[in-house]
Short mmCIF file of all heavy atoms in Angstrom, two decimals:
data_model
loop_
_atom_site.label_atom_id
_atom_site.label_comp_id
_atom_site.label_asym_id
_atom_site.label_seq_id
_atom_site.Cartn_x
_atom_site.Cartn_y
_atom_site.Cartn_z
N LEU B 1242 -11.17 85.34 -156.22
CA LEU B 1242 -12.03 85.03 -155.08
C LEU B 1242 -11.27 84.23 -154.00
O LEU B 1242 -11.80 84.09 -152.93
CB LEU B 1242 -13.21 84.17 -155.58
CG LEU B 1242 -14.21 84.95 -156.47
CD1 LEU B 1242 -15.28 83.99 -156.97
CD2 LEU B 1242 -14.85 86.10 -155.73
N GLY B 1243 -10.07 83.81 -154.34
CA GLY B 1243 -9.31 83.04 -153.33
C GLY B 1243 -9.96 81.70 -153.05
O GLY B 1243 -10.05 81.27 -151.89
N TYR B 1244 -10.41 81.06 -154.08
CA TYR B 1244 -11.10 79.78 -153.89
C TYR B 1244 -10.15 78.67 -153.42
O TYR B 1244 -9.06 78.53 -153.94
CB TYR B 1244 -11.78 79.35 -155.21
CG TYR B 1244 -12.21 77.91 -155.19
CD1 TYR B 1244 -13.37 77.53 -154.55
CD2 TYR B 1244 -11.45 76.95 -155.84
CE1 TYR B 1244 -13.77 76.21 -154.53
CE2 TYR B 1244 -11.89 75.62 -155.83
CZ TYR B 1244 -13.02 75.26 -155.15
OH TYR B 1244 -13.40 73.96 -155.14
N ARG B 1245 -10.61 77.89 -152.43
CA ARG B 1245 -9.90 76.68 -152.02
C ARG B 1245 -10.92 75.55 -152.06
O ARG B 1245 -12.01 75.69 -151.49
CB ARG B 1245 -9.39 76.77 -150.57
CG ARG B 1245 -8.93 78.16 -150.11
CD ARG B 1245 -7.55 78.46 -150.64
NE ARG B 1245 -6.63 77.36 -150.45
CZ ARG B 1245 -5.83 77.23 -149.39
NH1 ARG B 1245 -5.84 78.13 -148.45
NH2 ARG B 1245 -4.99 76.24 -149.32
N PRO B 1246 -10.56 74.44 -152.66
CA PRO B 1246 -11.52 73.32 -152.70
C PRO B 1246 -11.89 72.84 -151.30
O PRO B 1246 -11.04 72.87 -150.42
CB PRO B 1246 -10.78 72.22 -153.45
CG PRO B 1246 -9.49 72.75 -153.86
CD PRO B 1246 -9.29 74.13 -153.29
N ASN B 1247 -13.12 72.49 -151.14
CA ASN B 1247 -13.56 71.89 -149.86
C ASN B 1247 -13.26 70.40 -149.90
O ASN B 1247 -13.95 69.62 -150.54
CB ASN B 1247 -15.05 72.15 -149.68
CG ASN B 1247 -15.55 71.58 -148.38
OD1 ASN B 1247 -15.10 70.52 -147.98
ND2 ASN B 1247 -16.49 72.28 -147.74
N LEU B 1248 -12.25 70.02 -149.15
CA LEU B 1248 -11.80 68.63 -149.21
C LEU B 1248 -12.83 67.68 -148.64
O LEU B 1248 -12.95 66.54 -149.07
CB LEU B 1248 -10.48 68.48 -148.48
CG LEU B 1248 -9.34 69.26 -149.09
CD1 LEU B 1248 -8.04 68.98 -148.36
CD2 LEU B 1248 -9.16 68.94 -150.57
N THR B 1249 -13.61 68.14 -147.67
CA THR B 1249 -14.66 67.28 -147.12
C THR B 1249 -15.63 66.85 -148.18
O THR B 1249 -16.00 65.67 -148.29
CB THR B 1249 -15.35 67.97 -145.95
OG1 THR B 1249 -14.40 68.33 -144.98
CG2 THR B 1249 -16.39 67.07 -145.33
N ALA B 1250 -16.08 67.82 -148.94
CA ALA B 1250 -17.03 67.48 -150.00
C ALA B 1250 -16.39 66.54 -151.02
O ALA B 1250 -17.02 65.60 -151.48
CB ALA B 1250 -17.49 68.78 -150.68
N ARG B 1251 -15.16 66.84 -151.34
CA ARG B 1251 -14.45 65.98 -152.31
C ARG B 1251 -14.39 64.56 -151.75
O ARG B 1251 -14.61 63.59 -152.49
CB ARG B 1251 -13.06 66.54 -152.57
CG ARG B 1251 -12.28 65.74 -153.58
CD ARG B 1251 -10.91 66.40 -153.81
NE ARG B 1251 -11.04 67.63 -154.57
CZ ARG B 1251 -10.00 68.44 -154.77
NH1 ARG B 1251 -8.80 68.12 -154.31
NH2 ARG B 1251 -10.15 69.55 -155.48
N HIS B 1252 -14.07 64.46 -150.47
CA HIS B 1252 -13.97 63.11 -149.86
C HIS B 1252 -15.30 62.37 -149.92
O HIS B 1252 -15.33 61.19 -150.23
CB HIS B 1252 -13.52 63.26 -148.40
CG HIS B 1252 -12.17 63.83 -148.25
ND1 HIS B 1252 -11.74 64.43 -147.07
CD2 HIS B 1252 -11.17 63.93 -149.11
CE1 HIS B 1252 -10.49 64.80 -147.25
NE2 HIS B 1252 -10.11 64.57 -148.47
N LEU B 1253 -16.35 63.11 -149.60
CA LEU B 1253 -17.68 62.46 -149.61
C LEU B 1253 -17.96 61.93 -151.02
O LEU B 1253 -18.39 60.80 -151.22
CB LEU B 1253 -18.75 63.47 -149.21
CG LEU B 1253 -20.16 62.99 -149.37
CD1 LEU B 1253 -20.38 61.74 -148.49
CD2 LEU B 1253 -21.17 64.06 -149.01
N ARG B 1254 -17.73 62.77 -151.99
CA ARG B 1254 -18.01 62.42 -153.38
C ARG B 1254 -17.13 61.22 -153.82
O ARG B 1254 -17.64 60.28 -154.45
CB ARG B 1254 -17.77 63.64 -154.25
CG ARG B 1254 -17.95 63.40 -155.72
CD ARG B 1254 -19.38 63.05 -156.02
NE ARG B 1254 -19.40 61.84 -156.82
CZ ARG B 1254 -20.21 61.62 -157.84
NH1 ARG B 1254 -21.10 62.51 -158.16
NH2 ARG B 1254 -20.15 60.50 -158.50
N LYS B 1255 -15.88 61.27 -153.47
CA LYS B 1255 -14.96 60.24 -153.98
C LYS B 1255 -14.97 58.98 -153.16
O LYS B 1255 -14.46 57.94 -153.61
CB LYS B 1255 -13.54 60.79 -154.01
CG LYS B 1255 -13.35 61.95 -154.99
CD LYS B 1255 -11.88 62.06 -155.37
CE LYS B 1255 -11.76 62.57 -156.80
NZ LYS B 1255 -10.37 62.56 -157.28
N GLY B 1256 -15.49 59.06 -151.95
CA GLY B 1256 -15.55 57.86 -151.13
C GLY B 1256 -14.26 57.54 -150.42
O GLY B 1256 -14.13 56.52 -149.79
N ARG B 1257 -13.26 58.38 -150.57
CA ARG B 1257 -12.04 58.20 -149.82
C ARG B 1257 -11.44 59.54 -149.44
O ARG B 1257 -11.73 60.56 -150.04
CB ARG B 1257 -11.02 57.36 -150.60
CG ARG B 1257 -10.91 57.71 -152.06
CD ARG B 1257 -9.95 56.80 -152.77
NE ARG B 1257 -8.58 57.02 -152.24
CZ ARG B 1257 -7.86 58.08 -152.53
NH1 ARG B 1257 -8.31 59.02 -153.30
NH2 ARG B 1257 -6.65 58.20 -152.04
N THR B 1258 -10.64 59.50 -148.35
CA THR B 1258 -10.22 60.75 -147.76
C THR B 1258 -8.74 61.04 -147.92
O THR B 1258 -8.29 62.17 -147.73
CB THR B 1258 -10.50 60.75 -146.25
OG1 THR B 1258 -9.75 59.72 -145.64
CG2 THR B 1258 -11.99 60.56 -145.97
N GLY B 1259 -7.97 60.02 -148.21
CA GLY B 1259 -6.52 60.24 -148.28
C GLY B 1259 -5.90 60.33 -146.92
O GLY B 1259 -4.77 60.78 -146.77
N ILE B 1260 -6.61 59.87 -145.91
CA ILE B 1260 -6.07 59.87 -144.56
C ILE B 1260 -5.92 58.45 -144.05
O ILE B 1260 -6.87 57.65 -144.15
CB ILE B 1260 -6.96 60.66 -143.61
CG1 ILE B 1260 -7.09 62.12 -144.06
CG2 ILE B 1260 -6.44 60.64 -142.19
CD1 ILE B 1260 -8.00 62.95 -143.18
N ILE B 1261 -4.78 58.11 -143.56
CA ILE B 1261 -4.64 56.82 -142.85
C ILE B 1261 -4.26 57.09 -141.41
O ILE B 1261 -3.58 58.07 -141.13
CB ILE B 1261 -3.60 55.88 -143.51
CG1 ILE B 1261 -2.24 56.53 -143.63
CG2 ILE B 1261 -4.06 55.43 -144.89
CD1 ILE B 1261 -1.23 55.70 -144.34
N ALA B 1262 -4.73 56.25 -140.54
CA ALA B 1262 -4.44 56.48 -139.11
C ALA B 1262 -3.28 55.56 -138.67
O ALA B 1262 -3.12 54.47 -139.20
CB ALA B 1262 -5.69 56.14 -138.27
N LEU B 1263 -2.52 56.10 -137.79
CA LEU B 1263 -1.46 55.29 -137.16
C LEU B 1263 -1.75 55.32 -135.67
O LEU B 1263 -1.77 56.40 -135.06
CB LEU B 1263 -0.08 55.88 -137.45
CG LEU B 1263 1.09 55.27 -136.65
CD1 LEU B 1263 1.30 53.82 -137.00
CD2 LEU B 1263 2.36 56.07 -136.88
N ALA B 1264 -1.97 54.17 -135.08
CA ALA B 1264 -2.26 54.11 -133.66
C ALA B 1264 -1.14 53.39 -132.94
O ALA B 1264 -0.87 52.24 -133.21
CB ALA B 1264 -3.58 53.37 -133.43
N VAL B 1265 -0.51 54.12 -132.06
CA VAL B 1265 0.60 53.55 -131.28
C VAL B 1265 0.27 53.67 -129.80
O VAL B 1265 -0.59 54.45 -129.41
CB VAL B 1265 1.93 54.25 -131.55
CG1 VAL B 1265 2.34 54.08 -133.01
CG2 VAL B 1265 1.87 55.71 -131.19
N PRO B 1266 0.93 52.88 -128.96
CA PRO B 1266 0.57 52.92 -127.54
C PRO B 1266 0.89 54.28 -126.91
O PRO B 1266 0.06 54.85 -126.18
CB PRO B 1266 1.47 51.86 -126.87
CG PRO B 1266 1.85 50.95 -128.04
CD PRO B 1266 1.88 51.81 -129.27
N GLU B 1267 2.03 54.84 -127.24
CA GLU B 1267 2.47 56.00 -126.46
C GLU B 1267 3.46 56.82 -127.29
O GLU B 1267 4.51 56.34 -127.64
CB GLU B 1267 3.12 55.52 -125.18
CG GLU B 1267 3.54 56.59 -124.24
CD GLU B 1267 2.39 57.48 -123.86
OE1 GLU B 1267 1.48 57.03 -123.18
OE2 GLU B 1267 2.42 58.67 -124.29
N LEU B 1268 3.10 58.07 -127.53
CA LEU B 1268 4.03 58.90 -128.28
C LEU B 1268 5.24 59.33 -127.48
O LEU B 1268 6.28 59.67 -128.06
CB LEU B 1268 3.32 60.15 -128.76
CG LEU B 1268 2.59 60.01 -130.09
CD1 LEU B 1268 1.82 61.27 -130.41
CD2 LEU B 1268 3.61 59.73 -131.17
N GLY B 1269 5.10 59.32 -126.17
CA GLY B 1269 6.21 59.66 -125.31
C GLY B 1269 7.39 58.67 -125.43
O GLY B 1269 8.52 59.02 -125.14
N ASN B 1270 7.12 57.50 -125.89
CA ASN B 1270 8.18 56.54 -126.20
C ASN B 1270 8.84 56.89 -127.50
O ASN B 1270 8.22 56.83 -128.56
CB ASN B 1270 7.55 55.13 -126.27
CG ASN B 1270 8.63 54.04 -126.45
OD1 ASN B 1270 9.67 54.30 -127.04
ND2 ASN B 1270 8.34 52.87 -125.98
N PRO B 1271 10.11 57.24 -127.44
CA PRO B 1271 10.79 57.72 -128.65
C PRO B 1271 10.73 56.74 -129.82
O PRO B 1271 10.70 57.15 -130.96
CB PRO B 1271 12.25 57.92 -128.20
CG PRO B 1271 12.17 58.07 -126.73
CD PRO B 1271 10.99 57.26 -126.28
N TYR B 1272 10.71 55.46 -129.52
CA TYR B 1272 10.62 54.50 -130.59
C TYR B 1272 9.39 54.78 -131.46
O TYR B 1272 9.47 54.83 -132.68
CB TYR B 1272 10.56 53.09 -130.07
CG TYR B 1272 10.32 52.06 -131.16
CD1 TYR B 1272 11.34 51.76 -132.08
CD2 TYR B 1272 9.09 51.45 -131.32
CE1 TYR B 1272 11.12 50.83 -133.09
CE2 TYR B 1272 8.86 50.54 -132.33
CZ TYR B 1272 9.88 50.25 -133.22
OH TYR B 1272 9.66 49.35 -134.25
N PHE B 1273 8.24 54.97 -130.78
CA PHE B 1273 7.03 55.18 -131.56
C PHE B 1273 7.01 56.57 -132.17
O PHE B 1273 6.50 56.75 -133.26
CB PHE B 1273 5.82 55.00 -130.65
CG PHE B 1273 5.63 53.54 -130.27
CD1 PHE B 1273 5.75 53.14 -128.96
CD2 PHE B 1273 5.35 52.58 -131.25
CE1 PHE B 1273 5.56 51.78 -128.62
CE2 PHE B 1273 5.18 51.26 -130.92
CZ PHE B 1273 5.31 50.86 -129.57
N ALA B 1274 7.60 57.54 -131.48
CA ALA B 1274 7.66 58.84 -132.05
C ALA B 1274 8.48 58.86 -133.33
O ALA B 1274 8.12 59.42 -134.35
CB ALA B 1274 8.23 59.84 -131.05
#
Side-chain angles (χ1 to χ4, degrees):
Chain B
L1242 293 175
Y1244 166 78
R1245 326 281 314 266
N1247 180 323
L1248 298 183
T1249 301
R1251 182 177 290 173
H1252 295 161
L1253 173 59
R1254 177 63 232 221
K1255 294 203 149 186
R1257 41 182 296 286
T1258 61
I1260 299 178
I1261 55 184
L1263 170 65
V1265 298
E1267 184 56 69
L1268 272 175
N1270 182 331
Y1272 173 73
F1273 291 115

